[in-house]
Amino acid sequence: MDKPLQILFVSGDPVLQSEAHSALNGIPNWQTVPYFAHGLDEALDVAVNRNPNLICVEMEGDVRELTSFAREMRATLPETAVVAMYSPVRFGPEQSEGSTIIEVLRANVQDFLRRPLSSTEMRQLLDRLFLSRSAQRKTAGTILSFISNKGGVGKTTLSVNTACDLALRHPGRVLLIDASLQLGICNLMLDIVPQASLTDAVREKERLDETLLRRLSVRHDCGLYLLSAPKDAVEAAEINDAAFARVLNVGRRAFDFVVVDTFPMLDGMVLSLLDISDLVYVVMQGTVPTLVGASRFLSVLDAVGLVNERQRLVLNQSYARFMGNLSPADIQKRLGRPLDYVFPYQKRLLSAMNTGRPYILNCTRLFGFGREMSALVDEIEANREERQADEGPRPVGEVVEGASHE
């Protein structure tokens, strides 16, 4: 085991601290760092700030407080295991041991420990919870970038709808980052009023971790998390390449998919994003001036080392057909490369933007925009499955790093 397992014990019993130390010292195959809280309110603050791997909570009196705490931990720290500690002698005639355990299990408490704590039961608990959990390596999240050489081509529309479609399949595992620093509108397209932004994540870069990143993001009802753009140009000026890369790296540890909407400019921040992106979607429209610019833009991407295997050319036909309209075949001939995705014109996308309800959440998948988006998301999932297969199993006993506090 390379890193210590962080365990938070919650109890008002002063004897528990020495009891826990004695039990843990008798487990040579697990490296652990315990710390303690005297009540659930204190435990909530410690857990949010420290992100422990395991929380052991004493069942005392009315179990409704414990079930409420367990549900809150499940929502706030989904990777943290919650275990209930109990003494069988505390159950009276009106409260059976079995019925209480069933009630607590319904609140997502994952296991139980008897008091007084013993090394044998503690070792068995850690083996159950963490050896099986760490049998497979945690694959870093897939980073998906949407870029363009000019604004108004539908890049934000596609990034928001892609994130929503992914979240429908993987609720709670998708982060949408609005990196269009001065003109970000992802929150408007999702009808979200953010309380924090990308700037807040950058300001906290020294202590930014998976838990804090989730707290700074806003969850949409489709299952995605949004880290909004800065509220103005003054806040945007605080974000530099290194700080943005730090946010991305934390994001790919906390989420399976990180979708990034960008400003139409190939600056240092976007270049740092391209370096670690798994797939880059170059969005364009089918008008001659736009295609001329896109052709030059692709040449620049080649020059900075973004290989074609990671590029996806996306034609967004965000206008009705007209006389002299360029066909996908015309565009492919002009670019000298095939288009990977062609999104047809859909008038209802405009009303979806006005209502803050992304079109993909209610559209059909049999044809048009919905079918093309499904194909795009299918490829994203296949790409991630290939990466997971390539990485193979993780060593047994390796656990997630946490901070110690006692």
Side-chain angles (χ1 to χ4, degrees), residues 67-84:
T67 57
S68 177
F69 175 83
R71 290 192 179 100
E72 187 163 2
M73 285 296 96
R74 182 69 173 175
T76 306
L77 302 173
E79 301 300 323
T80 298
V82 178
V83 166

Side-chain angles (χ1 to χ4, degrees), residues 73-234:
M73 285 296 96
R74 182 69 173 175
T76 306
L77 302 173
E79 301 300 323
T80 298
V82 178
V83 166
M85 300 181 294
Y86 71 102
S87 300
V89 296
R90 292 188 179 180
F91 292 96
E94 297 83 20
Q95 184 184 28
S96 72
E97 179 178 344
S99 62
T100 301
I101 288 176
I102 291 173
E103 183 178 352
V104 174
L105 280 173
R106 290 171 179 163
N108 292 314
V109 169
Q110 293 172 255
D111 216 319
F112 295 86
L113 274 175
R114 291 176 182 262
R115 295 280 313 274
L117 301 180
S118 71
S119 295
T120 300
E121 289 195 12
M122 181 65 73
R123 178 185 57 79
Q124 292 172 348
L125 173 73
L126 298 183
D127 289 348
R128 285 196 304 270
L129 289 177
F130 297 101
L131 286 184
S132 59
R133 176 183 292 189
S134 60
Q136 295 296 321
R137 181 179 300 276
K138 167 64 175 173
T139 301
T142 301
I143 295 185
L144 312 159
S145 306
F146 286 78
I147 65 174
S148 65
N149 64 299
K150 68 181 296 296
V153 298
K155 172 179 51 59
T156 300
T157 298
L158 292 177
S159 61
V160 168
N161 279 273
T162 298
C164 287
D165 203 9
L166 277 168
L168 291 175
R169 306 188 191 190
H170 308 274
R173 307 307 305 165
V174 180
L175 174 66
L176 172 61
I177 300 179
D178 193 342
S180 183
L181 298 186
Q182 299 185 22
L183 297 171
I185 59 170
C186 288
N187 65 304
L188 297 178
M189 299 186 72
L190 292 165
D191 194 22
I192 286 176
V193 179
Q195 300 302 312
S197 72
L198 180 57
T199 303
D200 294 289
V202 167
R203 289 170 179 169
E204 300 289 346
K205 63 181 181 296
E206 297 303 325
R207 70 182 191 97
L208 186 67
D209 59 11
E210 294 93 325
T211 301
L212 180 56
L213 182 60
R214 284 183 177 270
R215 292 176 61 192
L216 294 174
S217 306
V218 183
R219 180 163 177 147
H220 187 263
D221 59 12
C222 74
L224 70 79
Y225 283 80
L226 169 67
L227 185 60
S228 298
K231 66 180 181 181
D232 54 39
V234 176

Side-chain angles (χ1 to χ4, degrees), residues 32 58 132 147-148 151 154 175 184 200 218 227 237 247 260 263 301 314 344 348 353 381 390 398:
T32 60
E58 181 91 49
S132 59
I147 65 174
S148 65
L175 174 66
D200 294 289
V218 183
L227 185 60
V247 174
V260 186
F263 190 76
L301 295 180
V314 181
R348 283 188 291 171
M353 286 188 285
E381 290 183 323
D390 290 342
E398 183 180 339

